[in-house]
RNA sequence: GGGCCUGUAGCUCAAUGGUUAGAGCAGAGCGCUCAUAACGCUUUGGUUGGGGGUUCGAGUCCCUCCGGGCCUACCA
């Protein structure tokens, strides 16, 4: 038994996430957590909401409520949606928690003590009407290169030219539209990532088994131009973690908060502490996951995230961890994902284009989405959601291959032998062959899951389901029952055990259907099968079961056409 | 501009430099009748984006061109 620490990139508090966000971190992390638990490992699966930063403040302002209140509400919404998708977090924390305040300030203090923080005086755009400093992309104006009138302060979307906010003609606040802007002096703390360039590079170089996506992004940042740059870790905002050196004030930094990307990864640790607090446990319980001097030396730590988060997890956060000089657990494996597109374009939050987590659950149960999203996880390149592909996969793979197999076996068994597993005789060639095939496939499935090769695992699981139909067709109990009832008993007994096995191994992908199968089979165990062949005899003759309802309904062509239209969204471009 | 990823059957995707490039879906044919008209078997379908090169051998490595995507450090 191993100990596995799993974190999913923490979703930003600003609004409900779309299916692309879901499949980029939380869902695959859940798949892995569920599998590792089934294997009998001790798992700590952590996620949280990422609550700080300018967009949160603006969203609260638009909603007309205080930002703390806004975040508390949205946290509850995201938590409920996570539960709706059966994300099995051990704790779903908040980056605004007291624990994270404490830890973030602690890390900053340690980094300062170790000479890894420097102060930088700079000038930034301040909007008098908004009463706030504006990040570059929140300043709009006319592009000096192409004349596009809605260019942003960091880049012109029209001609892709990199810009500085001062380059813009007729610059104005993207928040209020006010042109009353000025360059105002301010001071910020920078994390000296550059001091860790070599050490990080040596570390990344040893990770030959990480996805190319992860290492290539990290190397690009390490080697591009003058190499890894120092990064500002404070902001002039109201909402956030006040800048402190441990528990001490930080002279000159009054009124400032830490940058969201400094405190967000620390929340992985803080959320584990929140978990201990919520369960009335002492600190030693979360220390044993995070402190290698306090029991975490045998922990394997795996992170899941979209590609946009890779630099922070391969460079900034490791600098924070290593720079602290304390024995915190460093990540062992980073699984990163490309993006999911929607029907020929991008998902768009502002344009409401695509399917969002709340909408998805309103129209279909979570297993349907989990199955499609995971079996199409954008592991090697961006992938694309289309309603046709989605409904084809659900109808064929879930309803026909798996659902119908369960249904045909149970209906036949019920009508001939009642709601108990029949006896029958010895296995014949068909059973031997099927058991052997299943055994091989389960081995391959397990190996894919160990390696976090999600699409391959899904494909293999599908083959395992399909093997049941092949077996049943060859064994043909509906013929045997007429001449050799005992033979029919053997076949149904074997098939019911196959169903039971499916319930056991499918749960990482489709937890609800798996639970329904296991409940109806009154399955004696939920653990991962030690031997697939032995497993085929787990339900003994005379074992009673309850016929399950139809596991998956089909999606009609009419629904596809309705939904396709409903979720097409407007034409508004997405600033995200 | 720079970097990385990507382009394989109508669609979604596989193929440590090594037989004749494979699966699933869709299409076609046959079979079966237990089942959500479900299942099984067989089968059609390819100049691996174009061109050049290295090699005994290239989907795979190199160069170049074309298309798609992401990142490019003050969104997160």
């Amino acid at each position: 038994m191993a100990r596995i620490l799993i974190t999913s990139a923490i979703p930003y508090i600003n609004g409900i996430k779309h299916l692309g966000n879901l499949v980029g971190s939380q869902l695959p992390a859940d798949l892995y957590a569920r599998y590792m638990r089934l294997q009998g490992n001790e798992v700590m699966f952590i996620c949280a909401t990422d609550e700080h930063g300018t967009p949160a403040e603006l969203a609260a302002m638009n909603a007309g409520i205080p930002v703390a209140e806004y975040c508390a509400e949205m946290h509850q919404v995201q938590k409920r949606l996570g539960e709706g998708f059966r994300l099995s977090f051990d704790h779903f924390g908040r980056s605004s928690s007291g624990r994270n305040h404490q830890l973030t300030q602690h890390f900053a203090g340690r980094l300062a003590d170790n000479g890894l923080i420097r102060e930088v005086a700079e000038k930034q755009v301040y909007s008098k009407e908004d009463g706030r400093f504006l990040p570059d992309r929140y300043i709009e104006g006319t592009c000096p290169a192409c004349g596009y009138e809605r260019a942003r302060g960091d880049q012109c979307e029209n001609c892709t030219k990199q810009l500085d906010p001062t380059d813009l003609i007729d610059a104005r606040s993207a928040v209020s539209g006010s042109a009353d802007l000025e360059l105002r002096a301010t001071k910020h703390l920078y994390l000296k990532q550059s001091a860790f360039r070599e050490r990080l590079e040596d570390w990344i170089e040893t990770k030959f088994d990480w996805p190319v996506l992860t290492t290539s992004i990290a190397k690009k940042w390490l080697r591009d131009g003058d190499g890894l740059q120092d990064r500002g870790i404070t902001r002039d905002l109201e909402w956030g973690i006040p800048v402190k050196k441990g528990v001490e004030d930080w002279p000159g930094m009054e009124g400032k908060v830490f940058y969201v990307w400094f405190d967000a990864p620390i929340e992985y640790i803080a959320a584990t502490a929140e978990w201990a607090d919520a369960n009335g446990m002492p600190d030693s319980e979360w220390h044993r996951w995070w402190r290698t001097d306090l029991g975490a030396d045998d922990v394997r730590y795996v992170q899941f995230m979209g590609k946009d988060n890779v630099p922070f997890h391969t460079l900034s956060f490791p600098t924070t961890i290593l720079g602290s000089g304390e024995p915190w657990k460093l990540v062992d494996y980073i699984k990163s994902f490309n993006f999911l597109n929607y029907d020929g374009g991008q998902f768009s939050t502002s344009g409401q284009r695509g399917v969002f987590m709340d909408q998805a659950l309103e129209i279909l149960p979570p297993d349907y989405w989990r199955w499609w999203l995971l079996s199409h996880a954008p592991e090697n390149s961006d992938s694309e959601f289309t309603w046709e592909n989605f409904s084809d996969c659900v109808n064929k793979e879930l309803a026909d291959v798996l659902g119908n197999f369960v249904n045909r076996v149970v209906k036949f068994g019920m009508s001939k032998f009642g709601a108990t597993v029949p006896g029958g005789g010895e296995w014949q060639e068909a059973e031997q062959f099927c058991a052997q095939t299943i055994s091989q496939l389960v081995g391959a499935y397990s190996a894919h899951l160990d390696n976090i090769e999600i699409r391959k695992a899904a494909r293999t699981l599908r083959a395992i389901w399909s093997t049941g139909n092949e077996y049943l067709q060859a064994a043909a109990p509906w013929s045997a029952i007429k001449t050799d009832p005992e033979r029919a008993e053997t076949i149904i007994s074997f098939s019911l055990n196959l169903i039971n096995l499916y319930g056991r191994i499918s749960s990482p992908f489709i937890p609800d259907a798996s639970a329904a199968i296991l409940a109806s089979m009154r399955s004696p165990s939920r653990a991962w099968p030690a031997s697939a062949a032995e497993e085929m005899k787990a339900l003994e003759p005379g074992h009673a079961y309850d016929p399950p309802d139809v596991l998956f309904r089909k999606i009609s062509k009419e629904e596809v056409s309705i939904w396709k239209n409903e979720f097409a969204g407007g034409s508004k471009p997405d600033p995200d």
Side-chain angles (χ1 to χ4, degrees):
Chain A
M1 183 171 111
R3 298 175 61 219
I4 319 283
L5 173 63
I6 301 168
T7 60
S8 158
I10 63 180
Y12 197 65
I13 194 71
N14 178 14
I16 291 163
K17 303 294 112 178
H18 55 62
L19 297 182
N21 298 130
L22 181 63
V23 76
S25 57
Q26 292 174 305
L27 197 50
D30 181 68
L31 175 85
Y32 190 60
R34 286 176 177 276
Y35 169 69
M36 281 297 165
R37 288 194 199 103
L38 273 182
Q39 288 280 15
N41 299 308
E42 189 183 357
V43 170
M44 177 59 66
F45 180 25
I46 290 295
C47 195
T49 38
D50 178 14
E51 305 193 359
H52 299 134
T54 308
E57 290 192 351
L58 296 179
M61 197 176 77
N62 287 336
I65 54 176
V67 61
E69 204 176 300
Y70 173 82
C71 288
E73 272 179 29
M74 286 309 299
H75 172 81
Q76 282 307 315
V77 169
Q78 295 212 19
K79 186 175 157 78
R80 275 200 303 276
L81 288 170
E83 287 162 3
F85 276 95
R86 308 295 181 255
L87 303 177
S88 59
F89 306 127
D90 288 292
H91 192 73
F92 187 67
R94 302 182 60 187
S95 70
S96 61
S97 69
R99 282 290 195 175
N100 199 35
H101 278 237
Q102 220 171 52
L103 272 166
T104 298
Q105 290 165 346
H106 168 80
F107 273 106
R110 292 290 307 181
L111 290 164
D113 291 345
N114 293 331
L116 293 168
I117 302 245
R118 63 188 172 93
E119 286 185 17
V120 176
E122 52 196 10
K123 286 189 172 175
Q124 287 189 350
V125 176
Y126 185 87
S127 165
K128 288 181 192 162
E129 182 163 330
D130 297 308
R132 62 165 65 240
F133 283 96
L134 293 173
D136 291 356
R137 66 164 46 201
Y138 283 93
I139 301 156
E140 270 183 3
T142 302
C143 174
C146 73
Y148 180 62
E149 291 178 5
R150 294 194 55 190
R152 292 191 319 212
D154 54 346
Q155 184 173 37
C156 173
E157 280 181 332
N158 188 47
C159 68
T160 73
K161 186 179 165 61
Q162 302 277 322
L163 298 172
D164 195 81
T166 50
D167 296 337
L168 292 171
I169 300 161
D170 297 331
R172 59 195 179 272
S173 161
V175 179
S176 60
S178 165
D180 192 7
L181 308 177
E182 66 176 24
L183 275 178
R184 196 177 271 198
T186 182
K187 195 162 66 174
H188 284 295
L189 301 181
Y190 274 65
L191 177 62
K192 291 188 189 172
Q193 300 185 138
S194 55
F196 277 81
R197 199 197 67 79
E198 271 184 47
R199 197 164 162 191
L200 290 170
E201 189 162 0
D202 290 347
W203 175 62
I204 295 288
E205 287 289 357
T206 66
K207 305 302 183 185
F208 54 87
D209 61 333
W210 286 11
V212 179
L213 187 63
T214 307
T215 51
S216 66
I217 291 173
K219 286 176 186 173
K220 157 75 173 164
W221 279 58
L222 284 163
R223 295 170 184 172
D224 192 39
D226 300 329
L228 185 62
Q229 301 298 298
D230 296 341
R231 181 181 275 274
I233 58 163
T234 55
R235 292 289 183 274
D236 289 294
L237 292 172
E238 298 288 319
W239 173 242
I241 298 176
V243 176
K244 284 194 169 190
K245 202 179 282 183
V247 295
E248 320 257 306
D249 287 338
W250 203 310
M253 288 293 138
E254 295 81 7
K256 296 178 194 287
V257 300
F258 285 109
Y259 172 44
V260 53
W261 260 116
F262 183 68
D263 77 63
I266 296 172
E267 168 62 11
Y268 295 144
I269 305 174
T272 316
E274 292 169 48
W275 161 83
D277 294 342
N279 290 286
M281 294 169 171
D283 285 348
S284 57
E285 286 299 316
W286 67 268
H287 284 158
R288 66 190 282 275
W289 288 101
W290 283 101
R291 290 288 296 233
T292 55
D293 58 332
L294 298 172
D297 48 319
D298 65 338
V299 167
R300 176 171 165 81
Y301 177 20
V302 181
Q303 295 176 339
F304 290 79
M305 70 199 65
K307 57 184 164 186
D308 50 335
N309 287 348
V310 168
F312 301 102
H313 288 80
T314 52
L315 307 170
S316 314
F317 188 42
T319 299
T320 302
I321 294 285
L322 296 170
S324 74
E326 296 173 333
W328 297 98
K329 179 69 193 166
L330 196 59
V331 67
D332 293 303
Y333 190 85
I334 298 181
K335 177 75 177 180
S336 56
F337 293 87
N338 286 282
F339 294 146
L340 178 69
N341 289 318
Y342 179 83
D343 203 12
Q346 293 184 335
F347 277 85
S348 164
T349 303
S350 62
Q352 284 298 299
R353 181 171 193 282
V355 186
F356 290 73
M357 284 173 76
D358 54 343
Q359 301 166 327
L361 291 177
E362 280 163 21
I363 60 177
L364 289 169
D367 279 358
Y368 295 42
W369 298 105
R370 289 179 63 108
W371 175 250
W372 188 89
L373 289 168
L374 288 168
S375 62
H376 293 78
E379 289 176 293
N380 297 324
S381 62
D382 291 354
S383 63
E384 176 159 310
F385 176 91
T386 64
W387 285 102
E388 289 80 4
N389 189 276
F390 173 66
S391 73
D392 283 352
C393 286
V394 166
N395 290 349
K396 189 71 195 177
E397 300 176 347
L398 292 182
D400 291 348
V401 174
L402 175 60
N404 182 57
F405 176 73
V406 172
N407 195 44
R408 67 195 292 210
V409 168
V410 168
K411 285 268 173 69
F412 185 86
M414 286 287 292
S415 70
K416 306 299 179 191
F417 312 116
T420 55
V421 176
E426 290 299 306
W427 282 7
Q428 294 187 4
E429 205 181 321
E431 286 75 33
Q432 300 289 359
F433 179 75
C434 181
Q436 194 188 339
T437 305
I438 291 283
S439 188
Q440 279 172 5
L441 286 170
V442 170
Y445 175 56
S446 184
H448 291 321
L449 287 172
D450 282 329
N451 297 331
I452 325 184
E453 294 180 306
I454 297 171
R455 279 182 309 189
K456 284 183 182 171
R459 181 206 280 253
T460 309
L461 181 57
R462 200 207 103 100
I464 292 169
W465 296 338
S466 197
T467 301
N469 282 313
E470 289 163 27
Y471 161 74
L472 204 61
Q473 192 70 26
W478 50 88
S479 300
I481 191 79
K482 294 169 190 161
T483 54
D484 184 0
E486 192 191 32
R487 176 69 192 138
E489 289 188 15
T490 309
I491 297 166
I492 293 307
S493 174
F494 187 86
S495 299
L496 287 167
N497 273 288
L498 215 40
I499 291 171
N500 183 51
L501 175 75
Y502 291 170
R504 298 265 287 282
I505 65 172
S506 305
S507 62
F509 281 92
I510 46 171
D512 284 359
S514 297
I517 288 173
L518 293 178
S520 73
M521 288 297 121
R522 301 190 195 173
S523 186
S525 166
R526 315 224 143 175
W528 191 263
S531 146
E534 277 305 301
E535 190 59 26
M536 237 62 83
K537 294 171 177 169
L539 303 184
E540 295 175 351
H543 179 94
Y545 64 92
D546 313 294
D549 295 330
V550 165
L551 289 173
F552 302 99
R553 77 169 183 86
K554 294 212 187 191
I555 298 168
S556 70
K557 285 206 161 44
E558 290 70 32
E559 286 173 314
V560 166
S561 103
I562 290 168
W563 291 334
K564 203 171 171 174
N565 188 47
E566 188 178 335
F567 295 102
S571 54
K572 226 169 117 186
D574 189 356
D576 291 348

